[in-house]
PDB file of all heavy atoms in Angstrom:
ATOM      1  N   LYS E 893       1.117  18.904  51.769  1.00  0.00           N
ATOM      2  CA  LYS E 893       1.456  18.310  50.435  1.00  0.00           C
ATOM      3  C   LYS E 893       1.201  16.777  50.405  1.00  0.00           C
ATOM      4  O   LYS E 893       0.952  16.255  49.351  1.00  0.00           O
ATOM      5  CB  LYS E 893       3.002  18.445  50.155  1.00  0.00           C
ATOM      6  CG  LYS E 893       3.348  19.960  49.971  1.00  0.00           C
ATOM      7  CD  LYS E 893       4.851  20.037  49.757  1.00  0.00           C
ATOM      8  CE  LYS E 893       5.398  21.412  49.722  1.00  0.00           C
ATOM      9  NZ  LYS E 893       6.895  21.410  49.654  1.00  0.00           N
ATOM     10  N   GLN E 894       1.044  16.177  51.528  1.00  0.00           N
ATOM     11  CA  GLN E 894       0.659  14.817  51.577  1.00  0.00           C
ATOM     12  C   GLN E 894      -0.793  14.402  52.130  1.00  0.00           C
ATOM     13  O   GLN E 894      -1.055  13.337  52.530  1.00  0.00           O
ATOM     14  CB  GLN E 894       1.608  14.124  52.523  1.00  0.00           C
ATOM     15  CG  GLN E 894       3.128  14.377  52.005  1.00  0.00           C
ATOM     16  CD  GLN E 894       4.254  14.252  53.087  1.00  0.00           C
ATOM     17  OE1 GLN E 894       4.615  13.042  53.397  1.00  0.00           O
ATOM     18  NE2 GLN E 894       4.651  15.252  53.601  1.00  0.00           N
ATOM     19  N   GLY E 895      -1.448  15.473  52.223  1.00  0.00           N
ATOM     20  CA  GLY E 895      -2.915  15.291  52.626  1.00  0.00           C
ATOM     21  C   GLY E 895      -3.273  15.429  54.129  1.00  0.00           C
ATOM     22  O   GLY E 895      -4.411  15.025  54.466  1.00  0.00           O
ATOM     23  N   PHE E 896      -2.245  15.912  54.868  1.00  0.00           N
ATOM     24  CA  PHE E 896      -2.546  15.968  56.347  1.00  0.00           C
ATOM     25  C   PHE E 896      -2.322  17.486  56.750  1.00  0.00           C
ATOM     26  O   PHE E 896      -1.599  18.284  56.164  1.00  0.00           O
ATOM     27  CB  PHE E 896      -1.617  15.111  57.013  1.00  0.00           C
ATOM     28  CG  PHE E 896      -1.922  13.681  56.808  1.00  0.00           C
ATOM     29  CD1 PHE E 896      -1.161  12.841  55.948  1.00  0.00           C
ATOM     30  CD2 PHE E 896      -2.924  12.977  57.619  1.00  0.00           C
ATOM     31  CE1 PHE E 896      -1.639  11.631  55.717  1.00  0.00           C
ATOM     32  CE2 PHE E 896      -3.224  11.704  57.363  1.00  0.00           C
ATOM     33  CZ  PHE E 896      -2.495  10.950  56.421  1.00  0.00           C
ATOM     34  N   ASN E 897      -3.105  17.767  57.913  1.00  0.00           N
ATOM     35  CA  ASN E 897      -2.847  18.979  58.566  1.00  0.00           C
ATOM     36  C   ASN E 897      -2.176  18.727  59.867  1.00  0.00           C
ATOM     37  O   ASN E 897      -2.574  17.673  60.527  1.00  0.00           O
ATOM     38  CB  ASN E 897      -4.102  19.732  58.796  1.00  0.00           C
ATOM     39  CG  ASN E 897      -4.548  20.713  57.668  1.00  0.00           C
ATOM     40  OD1 ASN E 897      -3.972  20.566  56.555  1.00  0.00           O
ATOM     41  ND2 ASN E 897      -5.507  21.512  57.910  1.00  0.00           N
ATOM     42  N   LEU E 898      -1.453  19.733  60.347  1.00  0.00           N
ATOM     43  CA  LEU E 898      -0.872  19.616  61.722  1.00  0.00           C
ATOM     44  C   LEU E 898      -1.526  20.867  62.501  1.00  0.00           C
ATOM     45  O   LEU E 898      -1.578  21.977  61.981  1.00  0.00           O
ATOM     46  CB  LEU E 898       0.579  19.677  61.614  1.00  0.00           C
ATOM     47  CG  LEU E 898       1.434  19.913  62.955  1.00  0.00           C
ATOM     48  CD1 LEU E 898       2.557  19.066  63.026  1.00  0.00           C
ATOM     49  CD2 LEU E 898       1.702  21.346  63.157  1.00  0.00           C
ATOM     50  N   ALA E 899      -1.891  20.707  63.677  1.00  0.00           N
ATOM     51  CA  ALA E 899      -2.429  21.922  64.507  1.00  0.00           C
ATOM     52  C   ALA E 899      -2.012  21.715  65.971  1.00  0.00           C
ATOM     53  O   ALA E 899      -1.819  20.642  66.471  1.00  0.00           O
ATOM     54  CB  ALA E 899      -3.903  22.028  64.302  1.00  0.00           C
ATOM     55  N   ASN E 900      -1.922  22.705  66.524  1.00  0.00           N
ATOM     56  CA  ASN E 900      -1.600  22.779  68.074  1.00  0.00           C
ATOM     57  C   ASN E 900      -3.022  23.095  68.610  1.00  0.00           C
ATOM     58  O   ASN E 900      -3.575  24.135  68.309  1.00  0.00           O
ATOM     59  CB  ASN E 900      -0.648  23.904  68.402  1.00  0.00           C
ATOM     60  CG  ASN E 900      -0.515  23.997  69.933  1.00  0.00           C
ATOM     61  OD1 ASN E 900      -0.487  23.089  70.618  1.00  0.00           O
ATOM     62  ND2 ASN E 900      -0.250  25.321  70.320  1.00  0.00           N
ATOM     63  N   VAL E 901      -3.509  22.222  69.542  1.00  0.00           N
ATOM     64  CA  VAL E 901      -4.685  22.581  70.413  1.00  0.00           C
ATOM     65  C   VAL E 901      -4.226  23.423  71.486  1.00  0.00           C
ATOM     66  O   VAL E 901      -3.266  22.972  72.398  1.00  0.00           O
ATOM     67  CB  VAL E 901      -5.281  21.179  70.923  1.00  0.00           C
ATOM     68  CG1 VAL E 901      -6.561  21.560  71.733  1.00  0.00           C
ATOM     69  CG2 VAL E 901      -5.602  20.253  69.743  1.00  0.00           C
ATOM     70  N   ILE E 902      -4.759  24.619  71.587  1.00  0.00           N
ATOM     71  CA  ILE E 902      -4.351  25.548  72.696  1.00  0.00           C
ATOM     72  C   ILE E 902      -4.816  24.968  74.085  1.00  0.00           C
ATOM     73  O   ILE E 902      -5.896  24.742  74.373  1.00  0.00           O
ATOM     74  CB  ILE E 902      -4.981  26.887  72.424  1.00  0.00           C
ATOM     75  CG1 ILE E 902      -4.290  27.416  71.070  1.00  0.00           C
ATOM     76  CG2 ILE E 902      -4.637  27.810  73.631  1.00  0.00           C
ATOM     77  CD1 ILE E 902      -4.931  28.772  70.728  1.00  0.00           C
ATOM     78  N   SER E 903      -3.769  24.723  74.940  1.00  0.00           N
ATOM     79  CA  SER E 903      -4.012  24.057  76.297  1.00  0.00           C
ATOM     80  C   SER E 903      -3.847  24.949  77.359  1.00  0.00           C
ATOM     81  O   SER E 903      -4.374  24.639  78.485  1.00  0.00           O
ATOM     82  CB  SER E 903      -2.968  22.963  76.421  1.00  0.00           C
ATOM     83  OG  SER E 903      -1.662  23.373  76.368  1.00  0.00           O
ATOM     84  N   GLY E 904      -3.163  26.081  77.153  1.00  0.00           N
ATOM     85  CA  GLY E 904      -3.077  27.071  78.262  1.00  0.00           C
ATOM     86  C   GLY E 904      -1.879  26.787  79.223  1.00  0.00           C
ATOM     87  O   GLY E 904      -1.734  27.312  80.194  1.00  0.00           O
ATOM     88  N   ASP E 905      -0.897  25.763  78.644  1.00  0.00           N
ATOM     89  CA  ASP E 905       0.153  25.446  79.557  1.00  0.00           C
ATOM     90  C   ASP E 905       1.393  25.660  78.644  1.00  0.00           C
ATOM     91  O   ASP E 905       1.316  26.076  77.524  1.00  0.00           O
ATOM     92  CB  ASP E 905       0.099  24.179  80.251  1.00  0.00           C
ATOM     93  CG  ASP E 905       0.009  22.967  79.346  1.00  0.00           C
ATOM     94  OD1 ASP E 905       0.318  23.039  78.147  1.00  0.00           O
ATOM     95  OD2 ASP E 905      -0.321  21.813  79.792  1.00  0.00           O
ATOM     96  N   ASP E 906       2.605  25.176  79.125  1.00  0.00           N
ATOM     97  CA  ASP E 906       3.796  25.298  78.422  1.00  0.00           C
ATOM     98  C   ASP E 906       4.144  24.110  77.381  1.00  0.00           C
ATOM     99  O   ASP E 906       5.117  24.158  76.807  1.00  0.00           O
ATOM    100  CB  ASP E 906       4.988  25.231  79.315  1.00  0.00           C
ATOM    101  CG  ASP E 906       5.131  26.657  80.127  1.00  0.00           C
ATOM    102  OD1 ASP E 906       4.471  27.569  79.624  1.00  0.00           O
ATOM    103  OD2 ASP E 906       5.866  26.586  81.117  1.00  0.00           O
ATOM    104  N   ASN E 907       3.046  23.411  77.150  1.00  0.00           N
ATOM    105  CA  ASN E 907       3.270  22.293  76.315  1.00  0.00           C
ATOM    106  C   ASN E 907       2.394  22.588  74.943  1.00  0.00           C
ATOM    107  O   ASN E 907       1.466  23.273  74.955  1.00  0.00           O
ATOM    108  CB  ASN E 907       2.658  20.930  76.811  1.00  0.00           C
ATOM    109  CG  ASN E 907       3.469  20.480  77.877  1.00  0.00           C
ATOM    110  OD1 ASN E 907       4.781  20.374  77.854  1.00  0.00           O
ATOM    111  ND2 ASN E 907       2.828  20.171  79.103  1.00  0.00           N
ATOM    112  N   LEU E 908       2.734  22.134  73.821  1.00  0.00           N
ATOM    113  CA  LEU E 908       2.036  22.113  72.610  1.00  0.00           C
ATOM    114  C   LEU E 908       1.339  20.765  72.622  1.00  0.00           C
ATOM    115  O   LEU E 908       1.913  19.731  72.899  1.00  0.00           O
ATOM    116  CB  LEU E 908       3.048  22.161  71.352  1.00  0.00           C
ATOM    117  CG  LEU E 908       3.878  23.489  71.384  1.00  0.00           C
ATOM    118  CD1 LEU E 908       4.785  23.492  70.114  1.00  0.00           C
ATOM    119  CD2 LEU E 908       3.004  24.781  71.379  1.00  0.00           C
ATOM    120  N   TRP E 909       0.038  20.856  72.132  1.00  0.00           N
ATOM    121  CA  TRP E 909      -0.770  19.503  72.025  1.00  0.00           C
ATOM    122  C   TRP E 909      -0.939  19.456  70.532  1.00  0.00           C
ATOM    123  O   TRP E 909      -1.788  20.113  69.934  1.00  0.00           O
ATOM    124  CB  TRP E 909      -2.038  19.743  72.802  1.00  0.00           C
ATOM    125  CG  TRP E 909      -1.903  19.630  74.284  1.00  0.00           C
ATOM    126  CD1 TRP E 909      -0.790  19.552  74.990  1.00  0.00           C
ATOM    127  CD2 TRP E 909      -3.027  19.710  75.226  1.00  0.00           C
ATOM    128  NE1 TRP E 909      -1.109  19.432  76.291  1.00  0.00           N
ATOM    129  CE2 TRP E 909      -2.441  19.561  76.443  1.00  0.00           C
ATOM    130  CE3 TRP E 909      -4.417  19.739  75.103  1.00  0.00           C
ATOM    131  CZ2 TRP E 909      -3.252  19.581  77.633  1.00  0.00           C
ATOM    132  CZ3 TRP E 909      -5.188  19.646  76.189  1.00  0.00           C
ATOM    133  CH2 TRP E 909      -4.527  19.626  77.438  1.00  0.00           C
ATOM    134  N   ILE E 910      -0.149  18.592  69.858  1.00  0.00           N
ATOM    135  CA  ILE E 910      -0.197  18.532  68.385  1.00  0.00           C
ATOM    136  C   ILE E 910      -1.131  17.326  67.982  1.00  0.00           C
ATOM    137  O   ILE E 910      -1.072  16.189  68.493  1.00  0.00           O
ATOM    138  CB  ILE E 910       1.228  18.175  67.910  1.00  0.00           C
ATOM    139  CG1 ILE E 910       2.255  19.364  68.312  1.00  0.00           C
ATOM    140  CG2 ILE E 910       1.265  18.064  66.376  1.00  0.00           C
ATOM    141  CD1 ILE E 910       1.988  20.717  67.720  1.00  0.00           C
ATOM    142  N   ILE E 911      -1.967  17.659  66.960  1.00  0.00           N
ATOM    143  CA  ILE E 911      -2.923  16.732  66.406  1.00  0.00           C
ATOM    144  C   ILE E 911      -2.484  16.757  64.873  1.00  0.00           C
ATOM    145  O   ILE E 911      -2.101  17.785  64.276  1.00  0.00           O
ATOM    146  CB  ILE E 911      -4.264  16.812  66.672  1.00  0.00           C
ATOM    147  CG1 ILE E 911      -4.731  18.305  66.168  1.00  0.00           C
ATOM    148  CG2 ILE E 911      -4.571  16.711  68.150  1.00  0.00           C
ATOM    149  CD1 ILE E 911      -6.278  18.489  66.259  1.00  0.00           C
ATOM    150  N   VAL E 912      -2.656  15.597  64.291  1.00  0.00           N
ATOM    151  CA  VAL E 912      -2.581  15.506  62.804  1.00  0.00           C
ATOM    152  C   VAL E 912      -3.787  14.849  62.254  1.00  0.00           C
ATOM    153  O   VAL E 912      -4.262  13.771  62.908  1.00  0.00           O
ATOM    154  CB  VAL E 912      -1.287  14.608  62.546  1.00  0.00           C
ATOM    155  CG1 VAL E 912      -1.101  14.351  60.937  1.00  0.00           C
ATOM    156  CG2 VAL E 912      -0.002  15.170  63.115  1.00  0.00           C
ATOM    157  N   TYR E 913      -4.288  15.330  61.272  1.00  0.00           N
ATOM    158  CA  TYR E 913      -5.539  14.800  60.678  1.00  0.00           C
ATOM    159  C   TYR E 913      -5.654  15.129  59.133  1.00  0.00           C
ATOM    160  O   TYR E 913      -4.812  15.917  58.518  1.00  0.00           O
ATOM    161  CB  TYR E 913      -6.779  15.450  61.319  1.00  0.00           C
ATOM    162  CG  TYR E 913      -6.695  16.950  61.411  1.00  0.00           C
ATOM    163  CD1 TYR E 913      -7.260  17.759  60.275  1.00  0.00           C
ATOM    164  CD2 TYR E 913      -6.024  17.650  62.418  1.00  0.00           C
ATOM    165  CE1 TYR E 913      -7.036  19.110  60.342  1.00  0.00           C
ATOM    166  CE2 TYR E 913      -5.864  18.934  62.335  1.00  0.00           C
ATOM    167  CZ  TYR E 913      -6.476  19.707  61.316  1.00  0.00           C
ATOM    168  OH  TYR E 913      -6.407  21.112  61.281  1.00  0.00           O
ATOM    169  N   PRO E 914      -6.554  14.412  58.367  1.00  0.00           N
ATOM    170  CA  PRO E 914      -6.585  14.725  57.031  1.00  0.00           C
ATOM    171  C   PRO E 914      -7.049  16.022  56.678  1.00  0.00           C
ATOM    172  O   PRO E 914      -7.849  16.613  57.373  1.00  0.00           O
ATOM    173  CB  PRO E 914      -7.571  13.679  56.497  1.00  0.00           C
ATOM    174  CG  PRO E 914      -7.674  12.673  57.547  1.00  0.00           C
ATOM    175  CD  PRO E 914      -7.343  13.255  58.785  1.00  0.00           C
ATOM    176  N   THR E 915      -6.451  16.688  55.664  1.00  0.00           N
ATOM    177  CA  THR E 915      -6.676  18.081  55.350  1.00  0.00           C
ATOM    178  C   THR E 915      -8.117  18.283  54.930  1.00  0.00           C
ATOM    179  O   THR E 915      -8.764  19.310  55.405  1.00  0.00           O
ATOM    180  CB  THR E 915      -5.806  18.375  54.086  1.00  0.00           C
ATOM    181  OG1 THR E 915      -4.479  18.221  54.383  1.00  0.00           O
ATOM    182  CG2 THR E 915      -6.087  19.902  53.681  1.00  0.00           C
ATOM    183  N   THR E 916      -8.687  17.202  54.500  1.00  0.00           N
ATOM    184  CA  THR E 916     -10.220  17.409  54.084  1.00  0.00           C
ATOM    185  C   THR E 916     -11.176  17.491  55.388  1.00  0.00           C
ATOM    186  O   THR E 916     -12.214  17.934  55.304  1.00  0.00           O
ATOM    187  CB  THR E 916     -10.763  16.172  53.243  1.00  0.00           C
ATOM    188  OG1 THR E 916     -10.419  14.902  54.045  1.00  0.00           O
ATOM    189  CG2 THR E 916      -9.994  16.176  51.907  1.00  0.00           C
ATOM    190  N   ALA E 917     -10.668  17.065  56.491  1.00  0.00           N
ATOM    191  CA  ALA E 917     -11.259  17.198  57.792  1.00  0.00           C
ATOM    192  C   ALA E 917     -11.158  18.516  58.576  1.00  0.00           C
ATOM    193  O   ALA E 917     -11.662  18.668  59.685  1.00  0.00           O
ATOM    194  CB  ALA E 917     -11.114  15.938  58.664  1.00  0.00           C
ATOM    195  N   HIS E 918     -10.341  19.462  57.960  1.00  0.00           N
ATOM    196  CA  HIS E 918     -10.073  20.550  58.768  1.00  0.00           C
ATOM    197  C   HIS E 918     -11.219  21.352  59.352  1.00  0.00           C
ATOM    198  O   HIS E 918     -11.144  21.628  60.528  1.00  0.00           O
ATOM    199  CB  HIS E 918      -9.211  21.651  57.979  1.00  0.00           C
ATOM    200  CG  HIS E 918      -8.827  22.834  58.823  1.00  0.00           C
ATOM    201  ND1 HIS E 918      -7.848  22.832  59.717  1.00  0.00           N
ATOM    202  CD2 HIS E 918      -9.269  24.119  58.816  1.00  0.00           C
ATOM    203  CE1 HIS E 918      -7.759  24.048  60.342  1.00  0.00           C
ATOM    204  NE2 HIS E 918      -8.597  24.830  59.642  1.00  0.00           N
ATOM    205  N   ASN E 919     -12.215  21.717  58.509  1.00  0.00           N
ATOM    206  CA  ASN E 919     -13.354  22.449  59.134  1.00  0.00           C
ATOM    207  C   ASN E 919     -13.972  21.819  60.300  1.00  0.00           C
ATOM    208  O   ASN E 919     -14.424  22.424  61.274  1.00  0.00           O
ATOM    209  CB  ASN E 919     -14.288  23.004  58.076  1.00  0.00           C
ATOM    210  CG  ASN E 919     -13.819  23.940  57.114  1.00  0.00           C
ATOM    211  OD1 ASN E 919     -12.837  24.597  57.415  1.00  0.00           O
ATOM    212  ND2 ASN E 919     -14.210  23.959  55.962  1.00  0.00           N
ATOM    213  N   GLU E 920     -14.192  20.582  60.103  1.00  0.00           N
ATOM    214  CA  GLU E 920     -14.928  19.678  61.139  1.00  0.00           C
ATOM    215  C   GLU E 920     -14.017  19.552  62.356  1.00  0.00           C
ATOM    216  O   GLU E 920     -14.538  19.649  63.577  1.00  0.00           O
ATOM    217  CB  GLU E 920     -15.254  18.406  60.522  1.00  0.00           C
ATOM    218  CG  GLU E 920     -16.217  17.519  61.435  1.00  0.00           C
ATOM    219  CD  GLU E 920     -16.705  16.378  60.905  1.00  0.00           C
ATOM    220  OE1 GLU E 920     -16.390  15.918  59.622  1.00  0.00           O
ATOM    221  OE2 GLU E 920     -17.531  15.638  61.478  1.00  0.00           O
ATOM    222  N   VAL E 921     -12.718  19.264  62.187  1.00  0.00           N
ATOM    223  CA  VAL E 921     -11.810  19.285  63.364  1.00  0.00           C
ATOM    224  C   VAL E 921     -11.765  20.600  64.208  1.00  0.00           C
ATOM    225  O   VAL E 921     -12.023  20.608  65.430  1.00  0.00           O
ATOM    226  CB  VAL E 921     -10.403  18.860  62.912  1.00  0.00           C
ATOM    227  CG1 VAL E 921      -9.453  19.058  64.138  1.00  0.00           C
ATOM    228  CG2 VAL E 921     -10.424  17.445  62.421  1.00  0.00           C
ATOM    229  N   GLU E 922     -11.727  21.617  63.413  1.00  0.00           N
ATOM    230  CA  GLU E 922     -11.698  23.160  64.072  1.00  0.00           C
ATOM    231  C   GLU E 922     -13.023  23.326  64.752  1.00  0.00           C
ATOM    232  O   GLU E 922     -13.025  23.750  65.858  1.00  0.00           O
ATOM    233  CB  GLU E 922     -11.343  24.179  62.936  1.00  0.00           C
ATOM    234  CG  GLU E 922     -11.311  25.415  63.537  1.00  0.00           C
ATOM    235  CD  GLU E 922     -10.925  26.460  62.524  1.00  0.00           C
ATOM    236  OE1 GLU E 922     -11.572  26.573  61.400  1.00  0.00           O
ATOM    237  OE2 GLU E 922      -9.982  27.215  62.789  1.00  0.00           O
ATOM    238  N   TYR E 923     -14.115  22.985  64.271  1.00  0.00           N
ATOM    239  CA  TYR E 923     -15.412  23.033  64.778  1.00  0.00           C
ATOM    240  C   TYR E 923     -15.400  22.307  66.138  1.00  0.00           C
ATOM    241  O   TYR E 923     -15.945  22.807  67.177  1.00  0.00           O
ATOM    242  CB  TYR E 923     -16.565  22.715  63.928  1.00  0.00           C
ATOM    243  CG  TYR E 923     -17.902  22.686  64.504  1.00  0.00           C
ATOM    244  CD1 TYR E 923     -18.604  23.859  64.775  1.00  0.00           C
ATOM    245  CD2 TYR E 923     -18.515  21.391  64.882  1.00  0.00           C
ATOM    246  CE1 TYR E 923     -19.905  23.764  65.268  1.00  0.00           C
ATOM    247  CE2 TYR E 923     -19.730  21.314  65.472  1.00  0.00           C
ATOM    248  CZ  TYR E 923     -20.341  22.650  65.811  1.00  0.00           C
ATOM    249  OH  TYR E 923     -21.659  22.477  66.383  1.00  0.00           O
ATOM    250  N   LEU E 924     -15.122  20.952  66.039  1.00  0.00           N
ATOM    251  CA  LEU E 924     -15.157  20.192  67.161  1.00  0.00           C
ATOM    252  C   LEU E 924     -14.362  20.584  68.260  1.00  0.00           C
ATOM    253  O   LEU E 924     -14.698  20.658  69.547  1.00  0.00           O
ATOM    254  CB  LEU E 924     -14.929  18.659  66.819  1.00  0.00           C
ATOM    255  CG  LEU E 924     -16.030  18.031  66.026  1.00  0.00           C
ATOM    256  CD1 LEU E 924     -15.524  16.653  65.449  1.00  0.00           C
ATOM    257  CD2 LEU E 924     -17.267  17.727  66.723  1.00  0.00           C
ATOM    258  N   ILE E 925     -13.089  21.053  67.968  1.00  0.00           N
ATOM    259  CA  ILE E 925     -12.145  21.565  69.087  1.00  0.00           C
ATOM    260  C   ILE E 925     -12.759  22.757  69.763  1.00  0.00           C
ATOM    261  O   ILE E 925     -12.840  22.878  70.956  1.00  0.00           O
ATOM    262  CB  ILE E 925     -10.807  21.864  68.392  1.00  0.00           C
ATOM    263  CG1 ILE E 925     -10.033  20.593  68.019  1.00  0.00           C
ATOM    264  CG2 ILE E 925      -9.978  22.746  69.332  1.00  0.00           C
ATOM    265  CD1 ILE E 925      -9.524  19.733  69.172  1.00  0.00           C
ATOM    266  N   ASN E 926     -13.404  23.585  68.909  1.00  0.00           N
ATOM    267  CA  ASN E 926     -14.082  24.752  69.572  1.00  0.00           C
ATOM    268  C   ASN E 926     -15.284  24.268  70.517  1.00  0.00           C
ATOM    269  O   ASN E 926     -15.328  24.786  71.657  1.00  0.00           O
ATOM    270  CB  ASN E 926     -14.698  25.638  68.567  1.00  0.00           C
ATOM    271  CG  ASN E 926     -13.463  26.514  67.809  1.00  0.00           C
ATOM    272  OD1 ASN E 926     -12.507  26.710  68.432  1.00  0.00           O
ATOM    273  ND2 ASN E 926     -13.685  26.815  66.565  1.00  0.00           N
ATOM    274  N   GLN E 927     -16.062  23.399  69.972  1.00  0.00           N
ATOM    275  CA  GLN E 927     -17.194  22.729  70.767  1.00  0.00           C
ATOM    276  C   GLN E 927     -16.589  22.186  72.031  1.00  0.00           C
ATOM    277  O   GLN E 927     -17.290  22.132  73.058  1.00  0.00           O
ATOM    278  CB  GLN E 927     -17.968  21.695  70.029  1.00  0.00           C
ATOM    279  CG  GLN E 927     -18.767  22.291  68.846  1.00  0.00           C
ATOM    280  CD  GLN E 927     -19.824  23.265  69.331  1.00  0.00           C
ATOM    281  OE1 GLN E 927     -19.750  24.432  69.179  1.00  0.00           O
ATOM    282  NE2 GLN E 927     -20.858  22.830  70.045  1.00  0.00           N
ATOM    283  N   LEU E 928     -15.475  21.686  72.134  1.00  0.00           N
ATOM    284  CA  LEU E 928     -14.931  20.907  73.247  1.00  0.00           C
ATOM    285  C   LEU E 928     -14.082  21.903  74.134  1.00  0.00           C
ATOM    286  O   LEU E 928     -13.360  21.430  75.130  1.00  0.00           O
ATOM    287  CB  LEU E 928     -13.943  19.779  72.734  1.00  0.00           C
ATOM    288  CG  LEU E 928     -14.682  18.606  72.073  1.00  0.00           C
ATOM    289  CD1 LEU E 928     -13.771  17.773  71.318  1.00  0.00           C
ATOM    290  CD2 LEU E 928     -15.468  17.808  73.014  1.00  0.00           C
TER     291      LEU E 928
END
Side-chain angles (χ1 to χ4, degrees):
K893 293 176 188 176
Q894 299 159 84
F896 291 96
N897 273 16
L898 170 141
N900 175 35
V901 177
I902 297 175
S903 63
D905 65 15
D906 288 344
N907 292 309
L908 301 179
W909 289 4
I910 303 296
I911 57 173
V912 178
Y913 53 90
T915 302
T916 56
H918 178 74
N919 290 339
E920 192 171 0
V921 168
E922 186 172 48
Y923 172 79
L924 290 168
I925 290 290
N926 288 332
Q927 291 297 108
L928 294 166

